[in-house]
Amino acid sequence: MILIIEDEADLVKNLEYNLQNEGYETRAALTGQAALDILGEGIIPDLVILDRMLPDLSGIELCRHIRNEAATCKVPVLMLTARGEEMDRITGLEAGADDYVVKPFSVRELKLRIRAILRRSDDDGDLEFGNPVKFGPLTIDIPGHHLLIGEEPAGLTALEFRLFKILFLRRGQVQSRKDLLRDVWDIEAEVVTRTVDTHVKRLRKKLGDCDHYIETVRGVGYRFASRP
Ligand code: CA
């Protein structure tokens, strides 16, 4: 889920429309307080788009808050700033923003930045997951390469675990077959083969009652559910 924190309602609408079209789930907060409320629900976004100038809190303060909370300290933040001056960029990056975009920006540029940040954070995430993560009945131990369903090991092969891991770390985001071939199999393919579908089918079978966590997005690819 991408959390959009921005007080310009038209811009929020535009971003939500465009990001949802890309297959991302979104939530919007029009004030800093609304953003804190969402984060207080224990919902951890995959990425935060954060306007620097909000009516109540400054984007900088909010960014520091996100960085200081254990639950959200790793969440990537893309800051939107109306002013492109050097000092503003520096204070944003110093507060812990991963990147910034100066308004007015094209939605296309923003989408490219989001993709780049998410890809980077997935790679970092692999290393950061020191402890097993719970997701519904699943227990995921990334460094240990273990997946438990309840108390039972799912018995994934190394490749199946890799596929599971990439889908899981990018939950809520559609992965095309091409993306998966590249990131799971290291194959840059123009022609999409049945490989991905075959392995997803096997993986779903091993997930048993949790097979619905891997959703098929028609004409696009697969998406891991963003919440259990
Ligand atoms: Ca604003």
Side-chain angles (χ1 to χ4, degrees):
M1 181 270 287
I2 296 182
L3 175 60
I4 303 165
I5 310 172
E6 163 65 70
D7 59 316
E8 287 170 50
D10 287 346
L11 178 56
V12 170
K13 227 182 251 172
N14 183 6
L15 290 177
E16 285 209 289
Y17 173 80
N18 278 285
L19 293 174
Q20 285 171 8
N21 265 353
E22 289 279 291
Y24 297 111
E25 288 180 34
T26 61
R27 281 191 75 174
L30 293 169
T31 62
Q33 189 52 51
L36 291 175
D37 291 345
I38 291 174
L39 294 170
E41 291 168 26
I43 297 167
I44 301 169
D46 301 303
L47 182 132
V48 173
I49 297 175
L50 175 59
D51 184 29
R52 202 173 180 289
M53 303 284 274
L54 294 164
D56 49 353
L57 286 168
S58 81
I60 298 288
E61 278 173 79
L62 206 48
C63 189
R64 286 208 184 97
H65 173 85
I66 290 168
R67 283 289 162 268
N68 288 336
E69 292 291 310
T72 54
C73 64
K74 306 290 184 207
V75 173
V77 175
L78 175 62
M79 202 166 269
L80 304 180
T81 167
R83 297 175 289 168
E85 291 110 18
E86 199 59 38
M87 264 322 284
D88 287 329
R89 297 182 202 175
I90 292 168
T91 49
L93 296 174
E94 274 177 0
D98 293 81
D99 202 354
Y100 62 89
V101 173
V102 180
K103 291 180 186 175
F105 53 82
S106 75
V107 173
R108 191 172 166 275
E109 185 196 352
L110 190 77
K111 284 195 284 199
L112 290 174
R113 298 282 187 101
I114 289 172
R115 263 180 178 245
I117 294 173
L118 288 175
R119 187 147 297 148
R120 220 155 61 203
S121 80
D122 284 346
D123 294 343
D124 295 349
D126 287 0
L127 305 169
E128 304 289 351
F129 269 118
N131 298 310
V133 178
K134 283 283 220 182
F135 188 88
L138 302 181
T139 306
I140 301 128
D141 172 3
I142 291 202
H145 283 235
H146 284 306
L147 174 67
L148 298 179
I149 306 172
E151 305 286 303
E152 292 296 313
L156 304 188
T157 63
L159 187 68
E160 287 162 355
F161 190 83
R162 205 168 142 79
L163 173 62
F164 173 85
K165 181 180 80 172
I166 285 184
L167 287 168
F168 177 76
L169 289 175
R170 298 176 186 170
R171 50 197 183 282
Q173 304 161 42
V174 186
Q175 301 300 306
S176 70
R177 291 175 177 82
K178 215 172 142 181
D179 290 339
L180 291 169
L181 275 177
R182 185 191 55 223
D183 297 338
V184 179
W185 282 267
D186 281 324
I187 297 172
E188 287 284 354
E190 283 312 312
V191 185
V192 171
T193 65
R194 298 285 302 161
T195 310
V196 174
D197 302 285
T198 310
H199 281 83
V200 167
K201 203 168 159 190
R202 269 188 229 159
L203 177 57
R204 274 194 182 130
K205 208 167 192 179
K206 291 195 178 173
L207 291 179
D209 292 344
C210 297
D211 57 356
H212 60 283
Y213 287 163
I214 302 176
E215 302 157 358
T216 303
V217 182
R218 276 193 98 147
V220 190
Y222 297 99
R223 173 174 58 203
F224 205 94
S226 58
R227 60 191 74 163

